[in-house]
Amino acid sequence: MKWWNIAAALVVLAGGAEAGVIVMSTDYTAGGVFVATPTDGKGDLIQYDLTDLGGGGAVWLNADGFHNNHLERQYESRGFRYGIKRIPGAVPDDISEFVTVDWIQHHRDGAVEFGGNDSRGMVEMFAERDINLQPGFLEITLRNDHEYALWSVNGQLLYEHITNQSNLQTFRHDLPNGLEGLRFDFAGSGTADGVIERIEFHEYSTVPEPSLGDLIDLIGNGVGGLIGW
């Protein structure tokens, strides 16, 4: 067996279809404006279209401590669904002092950023979309600041950020049965910031998994072929 045949065989054995990029927000690089529609019956949202400034958009949660429907909001934008929730810490003596602006930032390229803006209490946020995927796996790249945070995918814990340092990491999340619908949940300290930077889907290969004996034979034949070549 020639060396180039060995390389080709190993590529086949590695398996896997080409990656498909998945976004959790609209990609505005081709144009369009950002519009968020409330889905919780709590009135208008504080929202900003930033597409004319080279961005996407943003929704703010104006949590002022009076339970006036602003401690939790849910909305939809172009088929994607989102939620922001502020969990207050100890109530200050003067409740009017409890004012914070938590937010979800929609980046121009489809990335989604969750951000808390008050050290008192915690935040919980989510991004969700309808999508059908065959069995395979996701490669998920997340960015975190130094604050404590938890990431979950469809209810399964993906990552607990406890390093006390900012980082950018890529994780593998297997989907042995495929999925219908994709949801990311982010929870953390009151000022935690996290970004879903990139998601790639890889469908499992239909090539049968090689046995250990097959691999040993392949490598052994390859070495012998190289020596004879």
Side-chain angles (χ1 to χ4, degrees), residues 64 92-100 118 120:
D64 62 11
D93 294 336
D94 181 358
I95 199 168
S96 64
E97 293 179 358
F98 188 86
V99 178
T100 184
D118 195 302
R120 295 168 292 184

Side-chain angles (χ1 to χ4, degrees), residues 4-149:
W4 53 81
N5 292 331
I6 299 171
L10 289 175
V11 169
V12 171
L13 291 173
E18 289 187 4
V21 176
I22 297 174
V23 293
M24 296 303 294
S25 180
T26 300
D27 186 339
Y28 292 98
T29 55
V33 296
F34 174 80
V35 178
T37 303
T39 58
D40 53 14
K42 295 179 179 180
D44 294 337
L45 293 164
I46 302 173
Q47 61 177 289
Y48 301 93
D49 171 38
L50 305 173
T51 54
D52 60 341
L53 301 174
V59 171
W60 288 7
L61 178 73
N62 184 20
D64 62 11
F66 289 100
H67 300 281
N68 60 358
N69 297 333
H70 287 161
L71 291 177
E72 181 175 4
R73 296 304 309 264
Q74 295 187 15
Y75 65 95
E76 178 271 340
S77 181
R78 298 198 180 197
F80 299 91
R81 298 177 294 277
Y82 307 93
I84 316 175
K85 182 178 181 179
R86 161 62 59 168
I87 303 173
V91 179
D93 294 336
D94 181 358
I95 199 168
S96 64
E97 293 179 358
F98 188 86
V99 178
T100 184
V101 179
D102 306 316
W103 40 268
I104 295 180
Q105 182 88 12
H106 299 261
H107 292 201
R108 188 173 185 83
D109 62 357
V112 180
E113 182 171 356
F114 303 121
N117 197 44
D118 195 302
S119 60
R120 295 168 292 184
M122 299 184 69
V123 290
E124 294 180 353
M125 307 188 191
F126 73 82
E128 185 177 41
R129 63 169 293 173
D130 296 325
I131 188 172
N132 293 317
L133 297 175
Q134 297 299 312
F137 64 93
L138 300 174
E139 286 188 338
I140 302 166
T141 301
L142 303 175
R143 184 183 300 276
N144 288 274
D145 68 359
H146 65 281
E147 298 285 347
Y148 175 81

Side-chain angles (χ1 to χ4, degrees), residues 103 113-117 142-149 151 159 161-169 186 188-195:
W103 40 268
E113 182 171 356
F114 303 121
N117 197 44
L142 303 175
R143 184 183 300 276
N144 288 274
D145 68 359
H146 65 281
E147 298 285 347
Y148 175 81
W151 289 92
Y159 173 56
H161 182 61
I162 57 176
T163 64
N164 201 34
Q165 294 181 346
S166 300
N167 66 10
L168 178 70
Q169 289 183 273
F186 174 83
S189 66
T191 55
D193 185 283
V195 186

